[in-house]
Amino acid sequence: MKSFIAPLLAVAAMMAPLAGGATYARAADDIVDTAVKAGSFETLVTALKAAGLVETLKGAGPFTVFAPNDEAFAKLPKGTVEDLLKPENKAKLSSILTYHVVSGKVMSKDIAGKTTTAKSVEGSEISIDATKDVMVDKAKVIKADIETSNGVIHVIDAVIMPPAK
């Protein structure tokens, strides 16, 4: 029996690294702790802190977060992130970040093959097209279904912006 378990554990260890070399925490961790431990969401975590949203996303949930990774934030025009992190832009930053969050736990299997919308915590509708690649507005989901203790994270390759009001 031991000779069977050792190779199985070795294979499991090799499969642990996920997209972009990031590893994700066990589902016992909440959304924020999972993002911190992944190491590929430093800009998102910094923005959550600046917007005062950390405690919210550590709450009971459940939440679905379409989480832009650091590469997604790097695609924004130069100076955008730095400008949004300024205290005087806290409301705008909060609006952008809460546009990435949906109440409830939406797994990829729940929307597979569908085109739909979801109401963001910010209040606007997010368009979702899961008929081919999964697109959230104009961002592509590059890693889906990272389960956390209070919801799920879907990694996206761009920062999505709420419609102008």
Side-chain angles (χ1 to χ4, degrees), residues 5-146:
I5 293 175
L8 186 61
L9 291 174
V11 170
M14 287 188 295
M15 294 177 69
L18 300 174
T23 56
Y24 299 93
R26 299 178 320 258
D29 290 319
D30 61 44
I31 288 169
V32 175
D33 291 342
T34 300
V36 168
K37 289 180 180 181
S40 57
F41 300 104
E42 291 179 19
T43 307
L44 177 61
V45 172
T46 298
L48 290 171
K49 289 176 183 175
L53 295 172
V54 170
E55 289 308 310
T56 300
L57 289 177
K58 289 179 87 50
F63 304 106
T64 297
V65 178
F66 298 104
N69 60 15
D70 291 334
E71 291 175 10
F73 278 99
K75 292 177 184 178
L76 292 172
K78 186 176 178 157
T80 301
V81 173
E82 294 78 11
D83 191 51
L84 287 170
L85 293 174
K86 293 178 181 174
E88 62 267 25
N89 293 325
K90 184 177 180 177
K92 183 175 182 180
L93 177 62
S94 180
S95 175
I96 292 168
L97 294 174
T98 56
Y99 184 64
H100 289 78
V101 181
V102 174
S103 292
K105 185 175 181 179
V106 182
M107 303 298 287
S108 59
K109 66 179 172 53
D110 299 330
I111 59 164
K114 298 178 185 173
T115 301
T116 188
T117 60
K119 186 172 185 168
S120 72
V121 171
E122 177 267 344
S124 301
E125 295 287 326
I126 303 170
S127 65
I128 300 170
D129 183 350
T131 56
K132 192 176 175 186
D133 290 331
V134 179
M135 301 297 292
V136 179
D137 282 350
K138 293 182 180 176
K140 182 178 179 180
V141 174
I142 56 175
K143 173 65 182 158
D145 300 336
I146 301 168

